[in-house]
């Protein structure tokens, strides 16, 4: 039977054995070695290297598209005090950095940065660092410009299990605080009475605003969104 | 039925809905299918597209058919199994490759889910031994005549559980092994949204 493929003759690919030829490798002894001396030299990741996420809290509408597409099930929607919609929380213990979630995000809220260094010790409180609600891209960019070493923008994450308060100690020394009310798609039942009670304790003008927003939940989303993140910024 | 009609509209090649003598295109694939069907009238065959043909064979005659097909299709590339839970059947797809013609063939056969038994094809392609062990381990299909249908890839505690069957609940099995909650962090990611 005629073979459809073209076949190269064996005499062309078969090499003669040689005693001398392996010694030709010695020529590299005198050439500059191809290596990067990591602590002293830097490597620049590609401009769209898939690294840690960034999340624009003003844009995220809590649709959970990112949570649905995630092949590693690394995203859990998180209800944050002061936010009307849940935001994704990314677990880097599971994340494969495929960035499907970034592509699927309908509002472009979820993005990614080139940062890729993240090392911790093995203690439980160190490991909290691998589980975060990504912060604003602007902030990450700022930190990158300042340090330029592509490390995780947060140095330490403290999670208080009683009060459920999370504190991000960013690399430039600022703190970023918020409170987690619950997880999942449904608004946390336990948290419902809280928003009414909490702001009363903290700030005076807020409660009215909150209650308004609560009653008119489905009606006016855009205005709410604009209001809420501002509060976040202030905290920051 | 509906599907078939659609296909007819799109492709004249496949012609005539269902059954027995679909007119085969006058190509290398078409002739190949015709040649085999002449010798094996019990099978159904058609041409999917260029270099891709398909046969449907009743399970009791699969060995006979494959032996016949092995004249033209020298290589067995894979035995893949599909679990059709609603129909209560396993579908075995023997993927054959014809080195001389450059044609890929799918030979499909169906066996009932309970007590699925098939003759081994090791005597035709020795490599079938491995593929059959895999199908045995993951789906519990018994290939009569294969001497090595024992523990293969899975750990001992997973053996005989047939994890790729559709009625095997992976998540609940994982929970019995690693505990209810295998997340380090506060929330639990053990529920699946989709
Ligand atoms: S990050 Fe994007 S995809 Fe995920 S919940 Fe927010 S808006 Fe939806
Ligand atoms: S990058 Fe991929 S694995 Fe990581 S959270 Fe996004 S979708 Fe999930």
């Amino acid at each position: 039977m005629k073979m459809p493929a073209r076949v190269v003759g064996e005499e062309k690919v078969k090499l003669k054995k040689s005693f001398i030829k392996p010694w030709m490798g010695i020529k590299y002894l005198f050439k500059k070695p191809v290596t990067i001396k990591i602590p002293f030299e830097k490597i620049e990741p590609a401009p769209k290297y898939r690294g840690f996420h960034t999340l624009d809290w003003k844009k995220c509408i809590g649709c959970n598209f990112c949570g649905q597409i995630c092949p590693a099930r690394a995203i859990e929607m998180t209800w944050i005090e002061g936010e009307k919609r849940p935001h994704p929380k990314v677990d880097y213990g599971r994340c494969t950095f495929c960035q499907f979630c970034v592509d699927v995000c309908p509002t472009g809220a979820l993005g990614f940065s080139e940062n890729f260094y993240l090392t911790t010790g093995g203690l439980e409180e160190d490991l909290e660092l691998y589980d975060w609600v990504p912060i604003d891209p602007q902030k990450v960019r700022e930190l990158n410009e300042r340090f330029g070493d592509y490390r995780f923008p947060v140095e330490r994450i403290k999670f208080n299990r009683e009060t459920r308060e999370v504190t991000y100690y960013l690399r430039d020394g600022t703190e970023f605080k918020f409170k987690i009310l619950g997880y999942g798609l449904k608004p946390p039942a336990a948290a419902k009475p809280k928003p009414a009670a909490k702001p009363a304790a903290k700030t005076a003008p807020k409660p009215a605003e909150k209650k308004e927003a609560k009653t008119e939940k489905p009606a006016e989303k855009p205005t709410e969104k604009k209001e809420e993140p501002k509060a976040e910024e202030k905290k920051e | 039925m509906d599907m078939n009609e659609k296909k007819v509209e799109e492709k004249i090649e496949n012609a005539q809905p269902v059954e027995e003598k679909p007119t085969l295109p006058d190509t290398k694939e078409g002739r190949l299918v015709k040649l085999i069907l002449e010798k094996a009238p019990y099978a159904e065959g058609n041409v999917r597209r260029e270099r891709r043909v398909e046969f449907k064979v009743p399970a009791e005659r699969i060995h006979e058919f494959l032996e016949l097909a092995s004249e033209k299709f020298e290589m067995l590339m894979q035995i893949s199994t599909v679990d059709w839970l609603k129909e209560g059947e396993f579908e075995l797809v023997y993927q054959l490759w014809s080195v001389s013609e450059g044609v890929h063939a799918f030979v499909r056969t169906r066996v009932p889910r309970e007590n699925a038994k098939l003759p081994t094809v090791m005597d035709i392609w020795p490599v079938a031994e491995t593929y059959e062990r895999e199908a045995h381990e993951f789906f519990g299909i018994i290939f009569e005549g294969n001497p090595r249908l024992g523990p293969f890839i899975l750990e001992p505690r997973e053996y005989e559980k047939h994890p790729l069957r559709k009625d095997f609940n992976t998540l609940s099995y994982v929970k019995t092994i690693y505990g209810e909650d295998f997340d380090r962090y506060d929330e639990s990611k053990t529920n699946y949204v989709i």
Side-chain angles (χ1 to χ4, degrees):
Chain A
M1 184 142 304
K2 208 177 108 246
M3 292 296 277
R6 232 155 46 90
V7 179
V8 178
E10 198 179 325
E11 71 284 354
K12 285 195 179 153
V13 287
K14 208 171 180 187
L15 294 178
K16 246 202 237 146
K17 285 181 183 156
S18 159
F19 181 75
I20 308 293
K21 274 186 181 164
W23 301 99
M24 307 271 269
I26 287 179
K27 70 183 175 196
Y28 291 106
L29 267 181
F30 310 104
K31 292 194 175 166
K32 191 172 176 288
V34 184
T35 173
I36 301 165
K37 298 179 176 105
I38 278 296
F40 314 108
E41 290 178 47
K42 259 192 190 173
I43 39 169
E44 290 289 314
K48 281 201 174 170
Y49 190 82
R50 297 198 289 248
F52 301 120
H53 298 83
T54 60
L55 178 71
D56 194 337
W57 288 26
K58 290 166 218 167
K59 282 196 201 157
C60 178
I61 52 169
C63 58
N64 194 34
F65 282 8
C66 48
Q68 283 183 43
I69 204 162
C70 180
R73 188 88 186 88
I75 286 178
E76 184 73 26
M77 299 314 276
T78 304
W79 291 82
I80 291 165
E81 192 187 29
E83 303 279 322
K84 282 291 160 293
R85 302 303 193 90
H87 291 331
K89 178 168 172 161
V90 183
D91 175 356
Y92 289 124
R94 286 167 173 248
C95 177
T96 60
F97 297 95
C98 60
Q99 251 53 303
F100 286 176
C101 49
V102 174
D103 286 348
V104 84
C105 180
T107 59
L110 204 60
F112 62 100
S113 59
E114 287 89 36
N115 304 18
F116 63 95
Y117 276 116
L118 171 54
T119 52
T120 67
L123 299 174
E124 280 299 320
E125 65 251 39
D126 296 336
L127 294 173
E128 284 294 339
L129 203 53
Y130 289 96
D131 196 41
W132 76 327
V133 180
I135 56 172
D136 199 82
Q138 205 56 46
K139 190 78 195 161
V140 175
R141 213 167 300 134
E142 222 178 283
L143 289 169
N144 274 355
E145 268 159 33
R146 180 138 166 223
F147 296 96
D149 57 359
Y150 302 100
R151 282 185 188 280
F152 195 57
V154 184
E155 220 156 40
R156 195 157 61 84
I157 292 180
K158 210 174 88 188
F159 180 58
N160 189 329
R161 265 166 219 277
E162 273 89 60
T163 60
R164 308 187 65 75
E165 272 198 58
V166 187
T167 318
Y168 293 174
Y169 297 93
L170 301 187
R171 298 187 64 202
D172 57 358
T174 50
E175 289 174 17
F176 181 70
K177 277 189 191 158
F178 59 90
K179 193 164 190 171
I180 289 178
L181 301 178
Y183 302 101
L185 295 180
K186 289 192 196 93
K192 278 271 165 183
K194 271 183 193 169
K198 281 275 158 49
K202 272 186 183 169
T203 45
K206 259 192 175 175
E209 203 180 285
K210 278 259 161 78
K211 268 169 204 158
E212 256 178 47
K214 242 181 145 185
T215 47
E216 304 166 20
K217 217 180 197 176
E220 41 150 13
K221 280 155 203 166
T223 50
E224 281 169 24
K225 252 185 277 155
K226 267 172 213 156
E227 283 167 20
E228 295 307 325
K230 265 178 209 159
E232 278 307 315
E233 272 181 332
K234 269 174 220 156
K235 269 185 210 165
E236 201 183 294
Chain B
M1 197 63 199
D2 194 21
M3 279 285 285
N4 274 334
E5 272 157 21
K6 260 179 214 161
K7 258 185 215 158
V8 172
E9 277 162 28
E10 285 159 18
K11 282 190 190 174
I12 315 147
E13 300 177 353
N14 286 350
Q16 293 161 26
V18 229
E19 280 313 317
E20 298 322 315
K21 297 276 178 212
T23 50
L24 295 159
D26 189 26
T27 54
K28 144 181 101 169
E29 296 83 11
R31 273 179 303 237
L32 194 62
V33 174
K34 209 165 162 189
L35 193 86
I36 290 176
L37 289 191
E38 267 164 21
K39 291 188 208 160
Y42 47 84
E44 281 172 47
N46 63 36
V47 178
R48 271 290 187 81
R49 57 171 170 80
E50 208 187 331
R51 278 178 274 121
R52 177 72 47 89
V53 300
E54 190 181 35
F55 297 99
K56 271 199 191 115
V57 186
E60 60 271 16
R61 305 193 75 163
I62 185 75
H63 188 272
E64 188 185 333
F65 180 84
L66 288 174
E67 196 151 22
L68 203 139
S70 70
E71 288 166 19
K72 284 287 172 193
F73 296 91
E74 296 89 347
M75 234 172 98
L76 174 66
M77 297 207 293
Q78 194 179 17
I79 302 175
S80 49
T81 313
V82 188
D83 188 358
W84 298 101
L85 193 59
K86 272 186 201 146
E87 285 132 74
E89 278 175 335
F90 286 125
E91 180 169 17
L92 274 95
V93 187
Y94 291 79
Q95 298 187 30
L96 314 180
W97 175 253
S98 169
V99 180
S100 49
E101 307 270 347
V103 176
H104 186 171
F106 289 86
V107 180
R108 298 165 188 279
T109 183
R110 288 196 173 220
V111 285
R113 260 176 124 260
E114 302 86 35
N115 197 21
K117 267 195 186 130
L118 277 168
T120 178
V121 291
M122 268 175 73
D123 46 340
I124 308 171
W125 298 283
V127 70
E129 177 183 315
T130 312
Y131 303 149
E132 286 170 359
R133 286 175 80 188
E134 189 193 348
H136 173 74
E137 179 137 57
F138 288 110
F139 292 94
I141 298 163
I142 293 160
F143 292 90
E144 284 159 330
N146 188 331
R148 292 184 69 193
L149 293 180
F152 180 32
I153 299 171
L154 299 178
E155 281 183 40
R157 68 178 175 209
E158 269 124 36
Y159 183 61
E160 291 296 348
K161 286 206 166 66
H162 311 312
L164 291 193
R165 282 189 182 194
K166 283 276 186 292
D167 49 8
F168 179 85
N169 188 338
T170 312
L171 197 61
S172 71
Y173 177 72
V174 169
K175 279 180 181 170
T176 62
I177 299 288
Y178 296 103
E180 245 335 280
D181 194 357
F182 37 88
D183 264 296
R184 173 179 295 281
Y185 302 105
D186 185 42
E187 79 274 29
S188 169
K189 300 186 193 73
T190 51
N191 302 311
Y192 288 89
V193 180
I194 42 171

